[in-house]
Amino acid sequence: MTDIMLSKSLAVFPGSFDPLTRGHMDIVTRALGLFSQVTVAVLDNPDKKTLFTLDERVELVRDSFKDFGESVRVERFRGLLVDFMKKSGAGVIIRGLRAITDYDYEAQMALMNKHLCQDIETVFLVTSEEYSYISSSLVRQVASLGGDISNLVSPVVMEALRNKF
Amino acid sequence: MTDIMLSKSLAVFPGSFDPLTRGHMDIVTRALGLFSQVTVAVLDNPDKKTLFTLDERVELVRDSFKDFGESVRVERFRGLLVDFMKKSGAGVIIRGLRAITDYDYEAQMALMNKHLCQDIETVFLVTSEEYSYISSSLVRQVASLGGDISNLVSPVVMEALRNKF
Amino acid sequence: MTDIMLSKSLAVFPGSFDPLTRGHMDIVTRALGLFSQVTVAVLDNPDKKTLFTLDERVELVRDSFKDFGESVRVERFRGLLVDFMKKSGAGVIIRGLRAITDYDYEAQMALMNKHLCQDIETVFLVTSEEYSYISSSLVRQVASLGGDISNLVSPVVMEALRNKF
Amino acid sequence: MTDIMLSKSLAVFPGSFDPLTRGHMDIVTRALGLFSQVTVAVLDNPDKKTLFTLDERVELVRDSFKDFGESVRVERFRGLLVDFMKKSGAGVIIRGLRAITDYDYEAQMALMNKHLCQDIETVFLVTSEEYSYISSSLVRQVASLGGDISNLVSPVVMEALRNKF
Amino acid sequence: MTDIMLSKSLAVFPGSFDPLTRGHMDIVTRALGLFSQVTVAVLDNPDKKTLFTLDERVELVRDSFKDFGESVRVERFRGLLVDFMKKSGAGVIIRGLRAITDYDYEAQMALMNKHLCQDIETVFLVTSEEYSYISSSLVRQVASLGGDISNLVSPVVMEALRNKF
Amino acid sequence: MTDIMLSKSLAVFPGSFDPLTRGHMDIVTRALGLFSQVTVAVLDNPDKKTLFTLDERVELVRDSFKDFGESVRVERFRGLLVDFMKKSGAGVIIRGLRAITDYDYEAQMALMNKHLCQDIETVFLVTSEEYSYISSSLVRQVASLGGDISNLVSPVVMEALRNKF
């Protein structure tokens, strides 16, 4: 398989999504304006403890985007992201940068992925300011302590979090 | 004129380009993989002193991309970037992030431009590591002091700089 | 005059306010919850070119806070901030930190002011996320180019900016 | 219970305090100049392994501030910080910013806490430069390896650390 | 033992080296231009899980530098770094700063080590831009997922990683 | 002239020194522990307005280090730093990093200088925490407003500043 087959109109948005937040949804929605299809790639990493199982995380993403039709696909992946992309034929990685963000880490990953596959481009979008303080880990923490997260996640994720705690 | 006419396959790469560097060229080349046309928009800001005149800066960009055909356009603009984009029908702003970069400033501009026109998206690409230390101002400074800049700019820019100093 | 007379319920919010933004107003409003009186101290710095004159800047702050009564005072100052504070009897400096901010610079100033007067405390508040991308210089720039700034400044400041350009 | 009862003269300084350092003590001492009472709220987080038990951490804070009388209270808390504050009637969260600090994380927490309870204000003070390199984790590490920490913690904490290792 | 015996021509490059990368080798090579001898000090920290055992890490460093003769020594250390240095008679700590780096953490450690022993100097070198995105943890991750790391580590380290996974 | 003649025991500490601060002196003193000779290279940049003339800045550095003998040399330079170093035969550039610093700018300059001359090494030392908030520009500003700077600069610099204002 050669790199030349990777399509620059197919984008992948990789992450743990433990769980999906409105910040993630903002990025996917805006990426859809730029690319014909966005695949939300849910990381299957057995070494990392997650609150939701892989199946649950995939299901929550699927439910939250169920009105988007074919343009948003949800898949699980493990292993090297660039290998998943070659298999999918997708040439673009989407990442969200928050005003409050670990930019240095993101730049490091983008350069490493470019090193691993020159034909894959990482594209950064800036998360809207109203989601600038939302991360999955903070959502988990606030929800576990009984805080109100209704503005931070979709209704299906909120219910799933309520069931966990 | 409504925002709905802005095309997400037309991208604008705005800047002073005083002068164009290989870092800029890297971003344009990679943006061409993502968008059908990239307009290099050279800022006409009478308040800011530049080494090269507006005409010279436009010419240097044009010469450096002369082998790219219709896919790279070069235009001058003044006033609000979002107004230029509405007039051009372009819906995407391209910005390069260096590993060494003023990310905070870039995020501020992206949020402000989104505030001014919700339909315009700012897309960040990470400059290749070999250009991570190149900026127009540093190129000007090194060239003015007689340093070797042959790897930092295109041949036409190098000659133009040599003529200036 | 000894430091012991400085009151920790009197706060000073220093700046150029060229012009006052809604981000500044957010900080003053929240500081009023913490201190009995907040003095907006408008810097008179002959060496720095401003868009609005000192008188205009003071007037715009005064008009924007005219419904706040005695709790918000507006004064001009020049010279060392700590000297102004000793004269005013105020023991607290208020500064706003945006998510997108020059934190390093702010920390440097806070340590220097503490060095100059041990009895003065610098207190930082985080600007609300909806104002995270607003700065006076960006407001000036957008307004000068005809952009819509109605959500970024008070009505009196907006009119003043319209008259300038 | 409504938010309106929260007092802006009661401040809470939350943390793990594992153990209390002179940097923490510097912040409390300075916060006392601004607020009538400061409650050091020691986090009871069963999920996080600590060197000192909750009881030990509370005791060390209490002993270190035993000369401060009623103005410094020490309490344990678990759950959401904003809930603890509503119960205490305290309207101000105190945080120390070191010159070397994780400002981004602090800003994220401040915005999240404001989202959870609009009436609570987070106030940042800059730690004195002589404590800029001290953190609890570094103190634990240095003490565990036999390094001299006499200038970094109070005498009671130093003795407690000596007993641990 | 007094500090006065520490030699400023003997440098120590401390780390976990799990495993050694080309970024590390770049720093050692350049440090050799500045100091007569560089000791690579491999951390023996029983609390931290590593991919390679202490013996393996030491061996990989030794093999990678086997052509450097006496100028590069490899040693294991545990406990306080400043104690190791006093024992070795070395007065200089070498650290590499990547363009993408945790500078704040590095500054904190440098100030703490200076506090622990005034006579020890920490010297920072900037890693070459081509290694700016390489860290041991990222190398481990990419290798574990089958990615190509031949440009990121020495041949002996590459073979060792291949045997692990 | 070939690079091979550059000595790694000769270091250059370049800057504007407008004026020299105790932070600068701290760096020179510590660099003397590492290198046999440190040349303070005072920048002659006709384009940059300085408070002190080139002659005054050189004189103030010379006076402040008059007890250091031959180990500290003071020279003026203009043009490319690497050219000055080749002429001097010095192979090391010294830079101070404050905890509060523009690290990104420093990394950019270090990589550019390495690009211009592979044989020159930039070495960073961390300024002591007590000088972490001192910069020449802040010293000028405080002195011009009548603030006490006796702990921030040497006695000769303090007197020179007093004469200026």
Side-chain angles (χ1 to χ4, degrees):
Chain A
M1 178 173 32
T2 64
D3 287 356
I4 214 156
M5 302 159 59
L6 301 185
S7 164
K8 288 284 167 56
S9 64
L10 300 181
V12 166
F13 184 41
S16 290
F17 305 105
D18 185 36
L20 184 82
T21 68
R22 283 197 191 276
H24 296 134
M25 296 178 74
D26 177 49
I27 293 295
V28 171
T29 308
R30 287 160 58 196
L32 283 174
L34 297 168
F35 305 99
S36 58
Q37 193 176 65
V38 174
T39 298
V40 181
V42 184
L43 180 62
D44 175 15
N45 182 353
D47 295 347
K48 201 180 158 188
K49 259 186 64 175
T50 55
L51 175 65
F52 292 99
T53 67
L54 178 62
D55 283 346
E56 287 172 329
R57 288 181 281 140
V58 167
E59 204 55 35
L60 287 173
V61 177
R62 205 160 272 157
D63 286 357
S64 299
F65 285 108
K66 68 169 183 291
D67 298 336
F68 283 71
E70 290 299 298
S71 57
V72 178
R73 295 175 63 218
V74 185
E75 298 203 23
R76 53 200 76 194
F77 86 101
R78 62 192 310 172
L80 219 48
L81 177 59
V82 299
D83 289 339
F84 173 79
M85 300 195 65
K86 287 176 185 170
K87 221 165 46 193
S88 313
V92 180
I93 299 168
I94 297 287
R95 297 292 293 164
L97 285 179
R98 290 176 295 155
I100 304 168
T101 199
D102 192 351
Y103 168 65
D104 290 350
Y105 172 77
E106 293 290 342
Q108 184 182 16
M109 292 306 295
L111 291 173
M112 178 57 93
N113 280 322
K114 186 150 160 286
H115 168 79
L116 292 171
C117 178
Q118 284 289 335
D119 197 40
I120 289 177
E121 195 64 70
T122 300
V123 159
F124 292 99
L125 304 178
V126 174
T127 308
S128 302
E129 68 273 21
E130 65 260 42
Y131 305 122
S132 61
Y133 56 90
I134 307 178
S135 65
S136 289
S137 67
L138 200 47
V139 162
R140 285 198 306 273
Q141 192 185 330
V142 170
S144 77
L145 302 172
D148 177 12
I149 53 161
S150 54
N151 292 326
L152 312 182
V153 296
S154 67
V156 292
V157 171
M158 191 169 65
E159 198 182 309
L161 280 164
R162 198 175 293 145
N163 290 337
K164 281 280 173 200
F165 298 114
Chain B
M1 179 173 31
T2 64
D3 288 357
I4 215 157
M5 301 160 60
L6 302 185
S7 163
K8 289 283 167 52
S9 64
L10 300 181
V12 167
F13 184 40
S16 290
F17 304 105
D18 184 36
L20 185 83
T21 68
R22 282 196 192 275
H24 296 136
M25 297 178 74
D26 176 50
I27 293 295
V28 171
T29 309
R30 287 159 59 196
L32 281 174
L34 297 168
F35 304 99
S36 58
Q37 193 174 66
V38 174
T39 298
V40 181
V42 184
L43 180 62
D44 175 15
N45 182 354
D47 295 347
K48 202 181 159 189
K49 261 186 61 177
T50 54
L51 175 65
F52 291 99
T53 67
L54 178 62
D55 283 346
E56 287 171 331
R57 288 180 281 139
V58 167
E59 205 54 37
L60 288 172
V61 177
R62 205 159 269 158
D63 287 357
S64 299
F65 285 108
K66 67 169 184 291
D67 298 336
F68 283 71
E70 290 299 298
S71 57
V72 178
R73 294 175 62 217
V74 186
E75 297 204 24
R76 54 200 75 193
F77 87 100
R78 62 191 310 171
L80 219 48
L81 177 59
V82 299
D83 288 339
F84 173 78
M85 300 195 65
K86 287 176 185 171
K87 223 164 43 194
S88 313
V92 181
I93 300 167
I94 297 287
R95 297 292 292 164
L97 285 179
R98 290 176 295 154
I100 304 169
T101 199
D102 192 351
Y103 167 66
D104 289 349
Y105 172 77
E106 293 290 341
Q108 184 183 15
M109 292 306 294
L111 290 173
M112 178 57 94
N113 280 323
K114 185 148 159 288
H115 168 79
L116 292 172
C117 178
Q118 284 289 334
D119 198 39
I120 288 176
E121 195 65 69
T122 301
V123 159
F124 292 100
L125 304 178
V126 175
T127 307
S128 303
E129 67 272 21
E130 65 259 41
Y131 305 122
S132 61
Y133 57 89
I134 308 178
S135 65
S136 290
S137 66
L138 200 48
V139 161
R140 285 196 308 273
Q141 191 185 330
V142 170
S144 76
L145 302 172
D148 176 12
I149 53 162
S150 54
N151 292 326
L152 313 182
V153 296
S154 67
V156 291
V157 171
M158 191 167 66
E159 196 181 311
L161 280 165
R162 197 174 294 146
N163 291 338
K164 281 280 171 198
F165 299 113
Chain C
M1 179 173 31
T2 64
D3 287 356
I4 214 156
M5 303 160 59
L6 302 186
S7 164
K8 288 284 167 51
S9 64
L10 299 180
V12 166
F13 184 42
S16 290
F17 304 105
D18 184 36
L20 184 82
T21 68
R22 283 198 190 276
H24 297 134
M25 297 178 73
D26 177 49
I27 293 296
V28 171
T29 308
R30 287 159 59 196
L32 283 174
L34 297 167
F35 304 99
S36 59
Q37 193 175 65
V38 175
T39 298
V40 181
V42 184
L43 180 63
D44 175 15
N45 182 353
D47 294 347
K48 201 181 159 190
K49 259 186 64 176
T50 54
L51 175 66
F52 292 100
T53 66
L54 178 62
D55 283 346
E56 287 171 330
R57 288 181 281 140
V58 167
E59 204 55 36
L60 287 172
V61 177
R62 205 160 270 158
D63 287 357
S64 299
F65 286 108
K66 68 170 183 291
D67 298 337
F68 282 73
E70 291 299 298
S71 57
V72 178
R73 295 175 63 217
V74 186
E75 297 203 24
R76 53 201 74 195
F77 87 101
R78 62 192 310 171
L80 219 48
L81 177 58
V82 299
D83 288 339
F84 173 79
M85 299 195 66
K86 287 178 186 169
K87 221 164 45 192
S88 313
V92 180
I93 300 168
I94 298 285
R95 297 293 292 166
L97 284 179
R98 290 176 295 154
I100 306 168
T101 200
D102 191 352
Y103 168 64
D104 290 349
Y105 172 77
E106 293 289 342
Q108 184 182 16
M109 292 306 294
L111 290 173
M112 177 58 93
N113 280 322
K114 185 149 159 287
H115 168 79
L116 292 171
C117 178
Q118 283 289 335
D119 197 38
I120 289 177
E121 196 64 69
T122 300
V123 159
F124 292 99
L125 304 178
V126 174
T127 308
S128 303
E129 66 272 21
E130 65 260 41
Y131 305 122
S132 61
Y133 56 91
I134 306 177
S135 65
S136 289
S137 67
L138 200 48
V139 161
R140 285 198 307 272
Q141 192 185 331
V142 170
S144 77
L145 302 172
D148 177 12
I149 53 162
S150 54
N151 292 326
L152 312 182
V153 296
S154 68
V156 291
V157 171
M158 191 168 64
E159 197 181 310
L161 280 165
R162 198 175 293 148
N163 290 337
K164 279 281 172 198
F165 298 114
Chain D
M1 179 173 32
T2 63
D3 287 357
I4 214 157
M5 303 160 58
L6 302 186
S7 163
K8 289 281 168 54
S9 64
L10 300 181
V12 166
F13 184 40
S16 290
F17 304 106
D18 184 36
L20 185 82
T21 68
R22 283 197 191 274
H24 296 135
M25 297 178 74
D26 176 49
I27 294 294
V28 171
T29 308
R30 288 158 57 196
L32 282 174
L34 297 168
F35 305 100
S36 58
Q37 192 175 66
V38 174
T39 298
V40 182
V42 183
L43 179 62
D44 175 15
N45 181 354
D47 295 347
K48 203 181 157 188
K49 262 186 59 177
T50 54
L51 175 65
F52 291 99
T53 67
L54 178 63
D55 283 347
E56 288 171 329
R57 288 180 282 140
V58 167
E59 204 55 37
L60 288 173
V61 177
R62 205 160 271 156
D63 286 358
S64 300
F65 285 108
K66 67 169 185 291
D67 298 337
F68 282 71
E70 290 299 298
S71 58
V72 178
R73 295 176 60 218
V74 186
E75 298 204 22
R76 53 200 76 194
F77 87 101
R78 61 192 310 171
L80 219 47
L81 177 59
V82 298
D83 288 339
F84 173 78
M85 299 195 65
K86 287 176 186 170
K87 223 165 44 196
S88 314
V92 180
I93 300 167
I94 297 287
R95 297 293 292 166
L97 285 178
R98 290 175 294 155
I100 304 169
T101 199
D102 192 351
Y103 168 65
D104 289 349
Y105 172 77
E106 293 290 342
Q108 184 182 17
M109 292 306 294
L111 289 174
M112 178 58 94
N113 280 322
K114 186 150 159 287
H115 168 79
L116 292 171
C117 179
Q118 284 289 335
D119 198 39
I120 289 177
E121 195 66 69
T122 301
V123 159
F124 292 99
L125 304 178
V126 175
T127 308
S128 302
E129 67 272 20
E130 66 259 41
Y131 305 122
S132 61
Y133 57 89
I134 308 177
S135 64
S136 290
S137 66
L138 201 47
V139 161
R140 285 197 306 273
Q141 193 185 329
V142 170
S144 76
L145 301 172
D148 176 12
I149 52 161
S150 54
N151 292 327
L152 313 182
V153 296
S154 67
V156 290
V157 171
M158 192 167 67
E159 196 181 310
L161 280 164
R162 197 175 294 146
N163 291 337
K164 281 280 172 197
F165 299 114
Chain E
M1 179 173 32
T2 64
D3 287 355
I4 215 157
M5 302 160 58
L6 302 186
S7 164
K8 289 282 168 53
S9 64
L10 300 180
V12 167
F13 184 39
S16 290
F17 304 105
D18 184 36
L20 185 82
T21 68
R22 283 198 191 275
H24 297 134
M25 297 178 73
D26 176 49
I27 293 296
V28 171
T29 308
R30 287 159 57 197
L32 282 174
L34 297 167
F35 305 99
S36 58
Q37 192 176 66
V38 175
T39 298
V40 182
V42 184
L43 179 63
D44 176 15
N45 182 353
D47 295 347
K48 201 179 159 190
K49 260 186 61 175
T50 54
L51 175 65
F52 292 98
T53 66
L54 178 62
D55 283 346
E56 288 171 329
R57 288 181 281 141
V58 167
E59 203 56 36
L60 288 173
V61 177
R62 204 160 272 157
D63 286 358
S64 300
F65 285 107
K66 66 170 185 290
D67 299 337
F68 283 71
E70 290 300 298
S71 57
V72 178
R73 295 177 61 219
V74 187
E75 298 204 23
R76 53 200 76 194
F77 87 101
R78 62 192 310 173
L80 219 49
L81 177 59
V82 298
D83 288 339
F84 172 79
M85 299 194 66
K86 288 176 185 170
K87 222 164 44 194
S88 313
V92 180
I93 300 168
I94 297 286
R95 297 292 292 165
L97 283 180
R98 290 176 295 155
I100 306 169
T101 198
D102 192 353
Y103 168 64
D104 290 348
Y105 172 78
E106 293 289 342
Q108 184 182 16
M109 293 305 295
L111 290 173
M112 177 59 93
N113 280 322
K114 184 148 159 290
H115 168 80
L116 292 171
C117 179
Q118 284 289 334
D119 197 40
I120 289 176
E121 195 64 69
T122 300
V123 159
F124 292 99
L125 304 178
V126 174
T127 308
S128 302
E129 66 273 19
E130 65 259 40
Y131 305 122
S132 61
Y133 56 91
I134 307 177
S135 64
S136 289
S137 67
L138 200 47
V139 162
R140 286 197 307 272
Q141 192 185 329
V142 170
S144 76
L145 301 172
D148 176 13
I149 53 162
S150 54
N151 293 326
L152 313 182
V153 296
S154 68
V156 290
V157 170
M158 191 168 65
E159 197 181 310
L161 279 164
R162 197 175 291 146
N163 290 337
K164 279 281 172 198
F165 298 114
Chain F
M1 178 172 33
T2 63
D3 287 355
I4 215 157
M5 302 160 57
L6 302 186
S7 162
K8 288 284 168 50
S9 65
L10 300 181
V12 167
F13 184 40
S16 291
F17 304 106
D18 184 36
L20 185 83
T21 68
R22 285 200 190 273
H24 296 135
M25 297 177 73
D26 176 49
I27 293 295
V28 171
T29 309
R30 287 158 58 196
L32 282 174
L34 297 167
F35 305 99
S36 59
Q37 191 175 67
V38 175
T39 298
V40 181
V42 183
L43 179 63
D44 175 15
N45 181 354
D47 295 347
K48 202 180 160 189
K49 260 186 61 176
T50 54
L51 175 65
F52 291 99
T53 67
L54 178 61
D55 283 346
E56 288 171 330
R57 289 180 280 140
V58 166
E59 204 55 37
L60 288 173
V61 177
R62 204 160 272 157
D63 286 357
S64 300
F65 286 107
K66 66 170 185 291
D67 298 337
F68 284 71
E70 290 299 298
S71 57
V72 178
R73 295 176 60 219
V74 186
E75 297 204 23
R76 54 199 76 194
F77 87 101
R78 62 192 310 172
L80 219 48
L81 177 59
V82 299
D83 288 339
F84 173 79
M85 299 195 65
K86 288 176 185 170
K87 222 165 43 194
S88 313
V92 180
I93 300 168
I94 296 287
R95 297 292 291 166
L97 284 179
R98 290 175 296 155
I100 304 169
T101 200
D102 192 352
Y103 168 65
D104 290 349
Y105 172 78
E106 292 291 341
Q108 183 182 17
M109 293 306 295
L111 290 174
M112 178 58 93
N113 280 322
K114 185 149 158 288
H115 168 79
L116 292 171
C117 179
Q118 284 289 335
D119 197 40
I120 289 177
E121 195 66 68
T122 300
V123 159
F124 292 99
L125 304 178
V126 174
T127 308
S128 303
E129 67 272 19
E130 65 259 41
Y131 305 122
S132 61
Y133 57 91
I134 306 178
S135 64
S136 290
S137 68
L138 200 47
V139 162
R140 286 198 306 273
Q141 192 185 330
V142 170
S144 76
L145 301 172
D148 177 13
I149 53 162
S150 55
N151 293 326
L152 312 182
V153 296
S154 68
V156 290
V157 171
M158 192 169 64
E159 196 181 310
L161 281 164
R162 197 175 292 147
N163 291 337
K164 280 279 173 199
F165 298 114

